Amino acid sequence: MVRIPDFSELSDRIVRKPHRELFEYWRSIFPETGWPGRQHFDPVDIPPLLGKLFLVDIVRDAGKLRFRYRLLGVEITKRAERDMTGKWMEECFSDPDAFAMIERDYHQIIDTGIPHLGQFSILAPGKEYIKANRLVLPMASDGENFDMFVGMWVYNDDASQPPEYTIS
């Protein structure tokens, strides 16, 4: 039987309204047993959030985990000034430290089942850093083995603080 962690500590930390709405929707689609999967997630249920959402496929390739953007909301694509849909995550980041940090976060989610909420800064082409908060939630089409993340970026538009890490 799959053990679902207690999300109360994370729930208490979610202060941004769009993150809260996504988190509550994700919790509402849990099946009776196991984790929710893509089959439980219906974007029609959360139209105001779609522009900020991303879906990441978790691909097991020769014993290694790889991550591919399945979908990026229009707000993410607009801010990044490029469409990364269908691309492997390592192709999308020029900064290897940024990719390593995201990869570490994703592995931690897969290992623990605990969603990730964190702050980071994005270096948009020809612009200053754009600070954002990211919520990443695991999904498992078989109820047990994580095969996708659904997440959301909520932008702060405050470049006055140094980045925790950057995505460029």
Side-chain angles (χ1 to χ4, degrees):
M1 182 171 189
V2 176
R3 182 183 172 280
I4 309 297
D6 175 16
F7 300 114
S8 58
E9 187 272 330
L10 173 67
S11 180
D12 292 344
R13 290 182 28 233
I14 299 175
V15 296
R16 305 296 294 266
K17 184 179 178 193
H19 283 154
R20 165 84 39 216
E21 290 172 357
L22 177 60
F23 181 73
E24 289 174 0
Y25 173 72
W26 176 75
R27 289 291 292 149
S28 77
I29 63 172
F30 265 71
E32 286 189 31
T33 60
W35 293 88
R38 174 64 182 90
Q39 69 273 23
H40 302 106
F41 181 83
D42 189 349
V44 172
D45 294 337
I46 52 171
L49 305 179
L50 296 180
K52 296 173 176 57
L53 285 181
F54 62 87
L55 295 175
V56 173
D57 290 320
I58 301 167
V59 179
R60 287 161 174 81
D61 183 19
K64 183 179 179 192
L65 292 176
R66 294 185 73 198
F67 307 100
R68 181 177 43 228
Y69 284 115
R70 176 181 284 206
L71 172 97
L72 287 153
V74 69
E75 187 174 336
I76 298 169
T77 299
K78 182 179 172 184
R79 296 280 185 136
E81 296 185 5
R82 60 190 163 142
D83 186 3
M84 298 175 283
T85 301
K87 295 188 181 204
W88 294 104
M89 198 157 290
E90 62 265 23
E91 296 175 82
C92 299
F93 300 100
S94 58
D95 179 355
D97 293 335
F99 170 69
M101 193 162 286
I102 291 170
E103 189 177 41
R104 186 202 70 215
D105 293 344
Y106 285 2
H107 280 272
Q108 185 174 8
I109 297 167
I110 292 166
D111 292 345
T112 65
I114 298 171
H116 176 79
L117 178 65
Q119 187 176 73
F120 63 96
S121 294
I122 300 167
L123 180 59
K127 297 185 179 177
E128 293 193 31
Y129 288 104
I130 301 169
K131 189 177 274 189
N133 293 298
R134 181 183 61 161
L135 175 65
V136 184
L137 307 165
M139 296 200 299
S141 58
D142 67 0
E144 293 184 29
N145 300 296
F146 299 123
D147 56 6
M148 181 175 282
F149 296 123
V150 60
M152 178 184 288
W153 293 356
V154 176
Y155 300 95
N156 296 347
D157 292 325
D158 177 6
S160 66
Q161 298 293 319
E164 178 181 321
Y165 59 92
T166 59
I167 299 174
S168 57

